[in-house]
Amino acid sequence: MARGRAQSIPLVQGTAARVASIPAPVGGWNARDSIANMDPVDAVSLENMFPSVSSVVLRGGYANHVTGISGQVETLMDYSSAGSSEFYAAAGASIYDVTAAGVVGAAVVTGLTNARWSYTNITTSAGGYIYAVNGADAPLLYDGSTWLPVTGVSSPIAITGVTTTTLDFVTLFKNRIWFIEKDTLKAWYLPTSSVGGAANALDLSSIAMHGGYLVAMGTWTIDAGYGMDDNLVFVTSIGEVIIYRGTDPASASTWALVGVWYLGAPVGRRCLVKYGGDLLYISYFGLVPLASVLQSDKLDPRIALSDKIQGAFAEAAINYGATFGWQVVVDNRNNAIVVNVPVSQGQQVQYVMNNITRAWCKFTGWAANCWEIFGNQAYFGGNGVVCKAWTDTYADNVSDIQTNSLQAFNYFETRGQKKIFTRGRPSIFSNGQPSIFCGINTDFDTSDRTAALSFSPTTAGP
């Protein structure tokens, strides 16, 4: 845990040295402002160090939760019903039960086309279900004991009116299951409190003026002036956000278009996540909360939660926007919002924000294809494994965590005056004996100038 350092600074020749204290960079990673004009509590880089409210601390590590899976885990699904919680992972052509830690057992579903599923939980009078679609296979319905494919003729559950293998996104809105038909502007909905039956279409072709196809849906809760109400949000591949309010899409008296906004093209299909009553949206404009951006009269970049790191965020979206693995997860246990950035398979990084202070940092070492919260704990899927993230062991499985931080440059209230640094004392607190490298960078030099420190840890002091 780093809290600060002090330097002895002769201001001009012949004057006495002055001691200055620098607080830890609790302002977090700044990839927006010029390095010559940053707040002293910001950081040019902050890798694997998390900016808390009053200090900067080493991030937690990860531990293998389940091993032995065949292929890359690309979807994690949390099943919750009547006090029962189960955890499932999709990899390759199979789905596995990963509720219990250890070596995985035989797959519970096989013969699938891909492992990139969209899913939701729904509870009806018949019980609790997972509904999952991937745009290639028949939708899967899990009732707590059996995974059933849902087709137009299957029994006991069937969906008619649409080719079920074309459905590639699913969500729950006001007791109705909603689907997106792949590569179209059509959404389909089922009868209320039902997992089967006749599907009806909501065609947005005449609403989405820029065309494209539907990518994602989500529910957004706002106060519309007469109390809190849920709205259904559609996102197109072009970046139009279309919002409806109501209960029955077949009735003009109970269903209405709220509006259409352009918020930039989405980055990845998992571009929406619930954040309290709000929705967070990942686009080329950054990570934005809908409640702020849709209720303002213009697109203000400062509204984006990612504003402080917009330079890095925009560069990553341009370079890796077409790569599978973009996802945002809200980790309440650690007061963090995690944006998964798929640099390449096995080389993913995470941009992480403290959701109290809105300070950012960057995590490396977590090769995550997908994320999910299970039992209030964050997990990610990787190559043949499901891993528990942000553990208290401070080790990445069995490897040490490597960190790198460069605090913002500082004029020490004497801009334009030459200074000579004679010594520095970092304040680092640890209950272990980490290897520490330290150095002083001057004149906006961002190269790594650190060298190993030799020290004898003490167990107590005044």
Side-chain angles (χ1 to χ4, degrees):
M1 177 172 66
R3 287 187 177 172
R5 64 185 182 199
Q7 287 86 15
S8 181
I9 310 167
L11 296 181
V12 294
Q13 188 174 2
T15 64
R18 186 177 66 142
V19 175
S21 287
I22 305 174
V26 293
W29 179 26
N30 188 331
R32 177 198 60 198
D33 299 328
S34 164
I35 61 172
N37 202 35
M38 285 186 186
D39 192 308
V41 298
D42 288 349
V44 177
S45 62
L46 195 60
E47 183 177 320
N48 289 334
M49 297 290 284
F50 183 68
S52 67
V53 174
S54 59
S55 60
V56 174
V57 298
L58 178 68
R59 69 156 169 83
Y62 79 82
N64 286 343
H65 173 66
V66 165
T67 60
I69 296 173
S70 178
Q72 297 281 346
V73 176
E74 295 185 320
T75 304
L76 294 173
M77 294 181 277
D78 171 23
Y79 171 75
S80 299
S81 176
S84 174
S85 294
E86 300 172 21
F87 204 26
Y88 292 90
S94 304
I95 294 177
Y96 300 85
D97 186 344
V98 295
T99 307
V103 180
V104 74
V108 296
V109 182
T110 59
L112 302 172
T113 303
N114 67 64
R116 299 177 182 180
W117 294 82
S118 167
Y119 86 99
T120 188
N121 279 268
I122 178 175
T123 300
T124 71
S125 58
Y129 302 90
I130 279 180
Y131 229 131
V133 296
N134 70 353
D137 299 297
L140 291 176
L141 191 66
Y142 178 63
D143 62 3
S145 61
T146 306
W147 290 84
L148 298 171
V150 181
T151 69
V153 295
S154 64
S155 178
I157 303 296
I159 294 177
T160 59
V162 62
T163 303
T164 58
T165 54
T166 64
L167 305 176
D168 70 348
F169 199 95
V170 60
T171 195
L172 179 66
F173 177 69
K174 291 191 174 179
N175 299 321
R176 288 183 190 270
I177 289 291
W178 283 78
F179 302 102
I180 287 175
E181 183 179 347
K182 184 178 180 179
D183 297 334
T184 74
L185 285 166
K186 285 185 179 180
W188 296 82
Y189 58 94
L190 297 180
T192 57
S193 302
S194 176
V195 294
N200 291 285
L202 177 65
D203 194 342
L204 301 180
S205 300
S206 61
I207 304 297
M209 65 182 70
H210 295 292
Y213 55 88
L214 292 177
V215 170
M217 298 179 290
T219 58
W220 176 42
T221 306
I222 61 168
D223 188 338
Y226 47 82
M228 301 303 289
D229 192 22
D230 285 340
N231 297 270
L232 184 57
V233 177
F234 298 94
V235 176
T236 74
S237 58
I238 306 301
E240 286 184 282
V241 175
I242 304 168
I243 300 179
Y244 279 90
R245 178 182 300 126
T247 55
D248 185 1
S251 172
S253 62
T254 62
W255 187 256
L257 176 67
V258 175
V260 181
W261 291 262
Y262 178 74
L263 300 183
V267 184
R269 298 192 69 94
R270 295 168 179 171
C271 57
L272 293 174
V273 68
K274 197 76 170 175
Y275 184 50
D278 204 354
L279 274 177
L280 301 183
Y281 173 52
I282 311 176
S283 79
Y284 282 83
F285 289 159
L287 178 66
V288 297
L290 291 192
S292 298
V293 72
L294 297 187
Q295 296 184 58
S296 63
D297 59 355
K298 62 181 179 179
L299 186 58
D300 185 345
R302 293 172 297 179
I303 291 175
L305 296 179
S306 57
D307 177 47
K308 194 83 167 278
I309 61 163
Q310 189 55 35
F313 198 101
E315 182 180 3
I318 292 170
N319 291 335
Y320 319 119
T323 305
F324 171 79
W326 284 90
Q327 188 177 355
V328 57
V329 61
V330 179
D331 184 357
N332 291 319
R333 180 174 177 267
N334 293 292
N335 290 315
I337 294 174
V338 179
V339 178
N340 201 58
V341 181
V343 175
S344 63
Q345 195 170 82
Q347 298 296 322
Q348 296 90 339
V349 300
Q350 292 76 39
Y351 296 169
V352 184
M353 188 192 82
N354 182 321
N355 63 12
I356 298 174
T357 65
R358 291 182 61 168
W360 286 87
C361 60
K362 176 182 176 181
F363 287 0
T364 60
W366 289 353
N369 298 314
C370 58
W371 288 80
E372 189 54 271
I373 303 296
F374 177 65
N376 202 36
Q377 170 71 51
Y379 291 82
F380 64 84
N383 185 12
V385 296
V386 175
C387 301
K388 180 187 292 186
W390 217 316
T391 64
D392 297 331
T393 59
Y394 297 103
D396 283 342
N397 204 17
V398 295
S399 301
D400 292 337
I401 301 172
Q402 305 293 323
T403 74
N404 187 31
S405 304
L406 176 61
Q407 192 154 359
F409 292 90
N410 196 320
Y411 292 100
F412 297 99
E413 301 178 358
T414 53
R415 186 185 288 261
Q417 192 170 62
K418 186 175 181 178
K419 307 166 188 68
I420 299 173
F421 294 85
T422 59
R423 64 179 178 179
R425 184 181 68 185
S427 297
I428 299 169
F429 300 84
S430 173
N431 60 2
Q433 296 187 27
S435 298
I436 297 174
F437 291 71
C438 189
I440 296 177
N441 286 42
T442 60
D443 298 329
F444 311 111
D445 178 10
T446 60
S447 62
D448 188 347
R449 305 182 64 84
T450 60
L453 296 183
S454 177
F455 62 97
S456 299
T458 59
T459 57

